[in-house]
Amino acid sequence: MGEIPVQKDVPWLVTFKISWGSLRRRLLRSLVTMTGVVLAIAFLAHMLITDSIIYALVEVNERALNILLQKSDVDISNVGTGDSLMVLFLFLTLLITLVGISNSMFMAVTERVREIGTLKCLGAHDNFIIRSFLIESSLQGVLGTLCGIILGMTVALSVALVSYQAYVFKYFPLAAVIKALMISFVIGTVLSVVASIIPAYMAARKQPVEALRHEE
Amino acid sequence: MSEVILTVQDVTKVYTMGAEKVHALRGINLEVAQGEYLSIMGPSGSGKSTIFNMIGGLDSPSAGEVLFEGAKLAHLSSAQLAWFRCHKIGFIFQSFNLIGSMTTLENVSIARVFAGASLEQAKQEAAEVLTRVGLGHRLTHLPSQVSGGQQQRIAIARALVNKPSIILADEPTGNLDLKTGEEIIDLLAEMKQDLGITVITATHDLKMLSRSDRVILIADGQIRRITKKGEVEIEVGSVDGETVA
Ligand SMILES: Nc1ncnc2c1ncn2[C@@H]1O[C@H](COP(=O)(O)OP(=O)(O)OP(=O)(O)O)[C@@H](O)[C@H]1O
Ligand SMILES: [Mg+2]
């Protein structure tokens, strides 16, 4: 039959439609896998928001408020000066986020290795597999991140309300909180995508037989 | 009568597991004609699936060659192999291997998309093939929402949608009850008749053997006997003291 041609790539848009279609149907399940992302980002968002609220309240420097702050163990003289403990804590938060997210993404790919083997039998090009995983993990990452942000924000605001009551509303640092939300969003999404590239790439490069033999 | 589509030449496969070597295939030679219905049988572990993997370009032999219409599979790049699997081979598995998050229609149409069809066109053609295998009324169901026999029909539609030259079916009735299995066998035989597709199956199923043009018996990675149509019925009751079926 002469030379066997090279398999053509599926266009990005088509890949996106296919990925979105199948992601939609296992949304619940994928959220379970995404708990790592949700919790990590909730933790990060909670940290950042609590921080900006406390910073704003300390700035106010009002007697009654200072007493409340001291009651919840805030070291007034040191807030916002970027002390080393704070930096360490932030670093640890990021580390936890990174581990949580890469773990989740790794699981998300591993549980679908057989599926990858099947797709290869149907003639999927390696690129299709990498792209569709990239698309799906970005969407999952965005979703998990949004859930995490909502969770983290809810907890941070509730705790702040209990500790500082109406002061929170009065001196609410809207700009800083929005910034914190945006930072959490970007970190969550970027880490999700980055953390899924490696397992997706590894899965796509697998020999189809190996992938098919993979147990659930 | 018709030309050779597939040639397996002195194929061996050795799996190395630590210090131990498993000889899954020990020199297989085989020629398959266009439009032939070939069954491979043999005890568990005899190397049936291993042969299928070689023919489908899913794995490469340790030595020897597999040629499809004269082209050596071992020389193909991964993108060429993808093209080959997409356009020339239709796989059917014992465990169906449908994508759980895709509907019946999507499970079939995705194979068309890989072959270069647009989404619309792929869906339309997939629906036609699905109707043909009797699943026109289940297009939007998920695999988990249809029976095992229906899942295997979806898999058959998926294998057929790109009009392959060869259908490779590794124990396609292994997970089905007798009656459903028989329906699947009828369907495969019908496709072979109507479309002139070459069908290669691995099976323990007597009914499947009786439909075959040739039955290859393998044991311990070697071909032990080749039985042509007509001789089949007499031979299959017991093979080398081993009960088949
Ligand atoms: N990945 C592998 N690593 C090591 N040994 C393997 C591997 N795959 C298959 N084998 C061995 O190769 C031999 C042939 O296996 P194969 O799966 O081809 O058998 P089979 O005839 O399909 O059996 P069954 O009827 O049970 O499906 C067996 O001894 C098996 O243990
Ligand atoms: Mg087998």
Side-chain angles (χ1 to χ4, degrees):
Chain A
M1 75 161 278
E3 184 76 349
I4 288 186
V6 167
Q7 179 77 319
K8 289 210 186 63
D9 272 337
V10 177
W12 272 101
L13 183 65
V14 176
T15 312
F16 183 87
K17 283 183 180 163
I18 292 171
S19 299
W20 169 242
S22 75
L23 178 64
R24 225 181 33 192
R25 284 198 206 88
R26 39 183 182 72
L27 209 56
L28 221 73
R29 187 178 161 72
S30 73
L31 268 183
V32 174
T33 325
M34 287 299 106
T35 37
V37 177
V38 175
L39 291 180
I41 291 302
F43 189 62
L44 182 70
H46 169 267
M47 254 276 307
L48 294 175
I49 291 170
T50 308
D51 242 40
S52 39
I53 290 177
I54 289 180
Y55 186 72
L57 294 184
V58 170
E59 288 273 274
V60 175
N61 201 11
E62 206 180 289
R63 225 184 103 73
L65 183 54
N66 282 351
I67 290 170
L68 280 181
L69 283 166
Q70 261 154 3
K71 255 204 262 174
S72 43
D73 282 337
V74 176
D75 184 357
I76 295 179
S77 55
N78 254 334
V79 167
T81 53
D83 62 307
S84 54
L85 202 70
M86 202 57 218
V87 172
L88 182 71
F89 198 60
L90 202 80
F91 177 74
L92 282 179
T93 310
L94 277 176
L95 200 70
I96 291 170
T97 317
L98 182 71
V99 171
I101 291 181
S102 23
N103 190 41
S104 270
M105 282 340 240
F106 194 78
M107 266 172 53
V109 177
T110 320
E111 69 183 10
R112 291 174 62 205
V113 170
R114 257 184 87 98
E115 213 171 88
I116 293 173
T118 306
L119 290 173
K120 291 193 117 178
C121 287
L122 299 182
H125 197 288
D126 293 4
N127 283 345
F128 174 84
I129 289 164
I130 295 175
R131 286 178 187 180
S132 72
F133 268 84
L134 222 58
I135 291 168
E136 289 184 37
S137 50
S138 316
L139 291 172
Q140 277 178 325
V142 169
L143 218 82
T145 303
L146 285 177
C147 292
I149 286 179
I150 291 171
L151 182 66
M153 189 164 68
T154 312
V155 173
L157 290 184
S158 313
V159 171
L161 269 179
V162 170
S163 311
Y164 316 116
Q165 295 128 24
Y167 287 112
V168 176
F169 289 121
K170 199 165 162 198
Y171 304 111
F172 192 72
L174 189 63
V177 168
I178 289 178
K179 194 174 143 199
L181 292 180
M182 272 164 38
I183 291 175
S184 311
F185 183 78
V186 170
I187 289 183
T189 319
V190 170
L191 284 186
S192 300
V193 175
V194 171
S196 62
I197 289 176
I198 297 164
Y201 190 77
M202 271 165 30
R205 294 294 304 273
K206 260 193 183 96
Q207 284 264 23
V209 255
E210 278 174 66
L212 281 175
R213 209 180 287 120
H214 190 91
E215 295 300 321
E216 172 55 358
Chain B
M1 78 189 173
S2 45
E3 61 195 277
V4 170
I5 186 171
L6 185 84
T7 313
V8 178
Q9 269 174 5
D10 296 320
V11 163
T12 64
K13 181 70 182 180
V14 184
Y15 291 106
T16 322
M17 304 178 71
E20 202 191 335
K21 284 195 168 140
V22 181
H23 292 263
L25 298 178
R26 305 165 185 267
I28 299 281
N29 284 290
L30 190 62
E31 282 194 339
V32 183
Q34 171 85 54
E36 193 177 8
Y37 192 133
L38 187 77
S39 287
I40 299 179
M41 61 168 205
S44 185
S46 55
K48 301 183 294 292
S49 299
T50 310
I51 295 184
F52 274 82
N53 295 338
M54 306 293 155
I55 296 176
L58 299 179
D59 203 354
S60 39
S62 305
E65 290 286 355
V66 177
L67 296 96
F68 175 83
E69 294 182 350
K72 291 182 177 177
L73 295 190
H75 291 182
L76 302 183
S77 68
S78 79
Q80 283 176 308
L81 275 174
W83 185 93
F84 167 71
R85 290 193 286 259
C86 184
H87 294 83
K88 296 295 174 186
I89 304 282
F91 292 93
I92 299 173
F93 306 91
Q94 178 175 353
S95 50
F96 320 136
N97 286 17
L98 300 173
I99 312 280
S101 55
M102 290 186 183
T103 61
T104 300
L105 188 63
E106 289 165 348
N107 261 289
V108 178
S109 62
I110 192 165
R112 272 309 285 152
V113 171
F114 290 152
S118 72
L119 272 180
E120 287 312 306
Q121 193 192 345
K123 287 200 168 144
Q124 193 194 322
E125 292 178 29
E128 278 163 25
V129 183
L130 279 162
T131 307
R132 182 160 185 172
V133 301
L135 279 175
H137 59 307
R138 290 281 183 275
L139 297 183
T140 56
H141 286 58
L142 293 175
S144 56
Q145 297 165 334
V146 301
S147 71
Q150 288 173 330
Q151 288 189 41
Q152 197 59 302
R153 280 167 187 270
I154 300 172
I156 291 176
R158 180 177 71 180
L160 287 172
V161 77
N162 283 329
K163 304 188 172 67
S165 306
I166 302 178
I167 293 266
L168 283 178
D170 195 352
E171 307 196 33
T173 59
N175 282 355
L176 302 173
D177 63 55
L178 268 177
K179 187 173 163 294
T180 321
E182 212 170 310
E183 285 166 17
I184 293 297
I185 295 166
D186 287 342
L187 184 59
L188 278 175
E190 193 186 309
M191 296 303 156
K192 182 226 162 200
Q193 277 300 328
D194 296 358
L195 308 171
I197 295 174
T198 310
V199 178
I200 308 180
T201 67
T203 188
H204 302 285
D205 202 321
L206 283 176
K207 296 212 186 53
M208 206 143 197
L209 298 182
S210 64
R211 303 251 179 180
S212 315
D213 297 321
R214 269 195 301 168
V215 177
I216 311 258
L217 173 71
I218 73 166
D220 197 22
Q222 283 173 312
I223 294 183
R224 288 293 161 83
R225 185 182 314 172
I226 299 181
T227 317
K228 294 222 175 67
K229 196 179 186 114
E231 311 163 21
V232 176
E233 255 113 354
I234 321 156
E235 298 274 357
V236 287
S238 149
V239 180
D240 293 353
E242 219 164 331
T243 316
V244 190

